[in-house]
Amino acid sequence: EYKIVRRDGEIRHVVQKYHYEEGNPSEVFVSIQDITERKRTEANLIQASKMITLGEMAAGMAHELNQPLNAITIAAENISQQAARGRAEVPEHILQKINRIKQQVVRAAVITDQMRIFGREAKESNSAFDLVNAITNVFDLVEAQLKMEQIDFIPNLHHDQIMTWGHQIRLEQVLLNLISNAIFSIKTSGKALKQIKIGVVLLNEDTVKIAVSDTGTGIPEEALKRIFEPFYTTKDVGVGTGLGLSVSYGIVHDMGGEMFAENTGNGAQIIVHLKRVEA
């Protein structure tokens, strides 16, 4: 088994076999088989397994982090209460820092709770849930990463509540995957404009449209027709599994919705249509 480089520079994996004809040891037949797709699939499966394990670890870490967060909260609250009762002389600027600690602990607890909920298996039956709330939960998860990458997140929701039917956790998985893809595209584009927009509008009484757009590299034209196929990816081997969008497509389809991909003037856009229900 070895690699060959084609004239166009593409690397292919091949396996070469030798076959001796029985009774005629002086002749040998040589066969060469291209196993590039098999190797790519194996690499994708290994990467997918790593991502599953990473998700399980993240959910476990979120659970374990709750204990030290609770300890920090109790300690900060005790200091505040003693100061309020006059049992301890605490300067005002120290009290302000303690309040800041408590605020950040609450924020950390919200994030870890979202990780724990997101990491669990969605066994619940379909139900009505608030789409705007699902988007807010996802933003809480990616807010720190967006700030680190200096990417502006622009929500365009128009409504305080829009009810849809399905699995909220699974839809959050879809939205998280779309935003993660958008972040990767923006990082690799080298563009100065770094924006991710998510818009929610009512197409009619029965259908709600979600659009996630970015200012990244866009989707190659030849990939648009295959972007939702399992194991199809425009990323390098080991970077993308080719499973994220196909899984997302399946989740949306199971919810009775539709999913589309297109390019815009600035990047790419994924559109999701879902059924709207009354609150």
Side-chain angles (χ1 to χ4, degrees):
E1 182 178 321
Y2 54 90
K3 299 177 183 178
I4 61 173
V5 182
R6 301 196 334 179
R7 291 182 179 179
D8 59 3
E10 182 182 1
I11 297 176
R12 307 294 293 184
H13 295 264
V14 300
V15 59
Q16 184 170 308
K17 296 181 180 180
Y18 300 89
H19 308 272
Y20 291 93
E21 185 178 358
E22 187 176 354
N24 189 5
S26 62
E27 293 184 2
V28 63
F29 296 92
V30 182
S31 66
I32 298 177
Q33 180 184 4
D34 188 328
I35 59 170
T36 304
E37 293 304 320
R38 191 186 78 187
K39 299 290 285 188
R40 182 178 289 119
T41 300
E42 289 174 353
N44 286 335
L45 287 172
I46 292 172
Q47 183 67 16
S49 177
K50 290 180 180 179
M51 295 304 293
I52 291 172
T53 303
L54 184 61
E56 293 173 349
M57 290 175 60
M61 288 174 61
H63 176 73
E64 292 298 325
L65 282 171
N66 280 333
Q67 294 184 8
L69 288 175
N70 289 336
I72 295 171
T73 300
I74 293 172
E77 189 62 35
N78 284 340
I79 295 174
S80 297
Q81 289 179 1
Q82 290 184 21
R85 294 170 183 172
R87 296 178 180 176
E89 295 183 5
V90 182
E92 182 62 28
H93 71 281
I94 298 297
L95 286 176
Q96 291 177 359
K97 290 182 178 180
I98 291 173
N99 288 331
R100 179 66 174 167
I101 289 172
K102 292 193 289 185
Q103 292 172 3
Q104 293 304 308
V105 168
V106 171
R107 182 169 178 267
V110 169
I111 294 173
T112 55
D113 282 343
Q114 285 299 319
M115 289 174 62
R116 181 171 51 82
I117 294 171
F118 183 77
R120 81 169 188 256
E121 185 178 356
K123 296 181 178 179
E124 300 87 351
S125 57
N126 289 338
S127 61
F129 65 90
D130 182 9
L131 181 58
V132 175
N133 179 255
I135 294 173
T136 302
N137 289 343
V138 172
F139 175 68
D140 288 339
L141 284 173
V142 300
E143 182 181 11
Q145 185 179 3
L146 291 169
K147 287 183 178 179
M148 183 175 63
E149 302 294 345
Q150 297 181 331
I151 297 175
D152 294 326
F153 183 79
I154 305 174
N156 191 12
L157 304 179
H158 293 301
H159 298 270
D160 294 329
Q161 185 184 69
I162 299 178
M163 303 300 292
T164 188
W165 184 262
H167 292 270
Q168 178 168 342
I169 294 173
R170 290 180 179 174
L171 183 65
E172 289 178 8
Q173 178 184 350
V174 171
L175 296 175
L176 184 62
N177 181 63
L178 297 183
I179 293 174
S180 297
N181 285 347
I183 292 173
F184 179 84
S185 180
I186 291 173
K187 287 172 59 178
T188 56
S189 70
K191 294 181 179 178
L193 182 63
K194 299 180 178 182
Q195 289 181 348
I196 295 176
K197 297 180 181 180
I198 182 165
V200 178
V201 295
L202 296 175
L203 293 181
N204 51 54
E205 293 182 355
D206 302 319
T207 307
V208 57
K209 172 186 173 182
I210 310 169
V212 180
S213 59
D214 61 64
T215 57
T217 58
I219 304 171
E221 289 299 323
E222 65 274 12
L224 279 174
K225 294 181 180 180
R226 302 186 57 194
I227 199 70
F228 298 119
E229 293 180 9
F231 298 116
Y232 182 82
T233 178
T234 57
K235 300 176 183 177
D236 295 335
V237 174
V239 177
T241 64
L243 290 172
L245 284 178
S246 63
V247 171
S248 298
Y249 184 89
I251 291 172
V252 171
H253 186 268
D254 289 343
M255 291 176 60
E258 297 177 304
M259 199 170 186
F260 314 92
E262 63 182 16
N263 286 314
T264 63
N266 293 322
Q269 179 171 252
I270 304 295
I271 297 172
V272 176
H273 289 174
L274 292 175
K275 294 180 180 179
R276 176 177 179 258
V277 297
E278 295 295 332

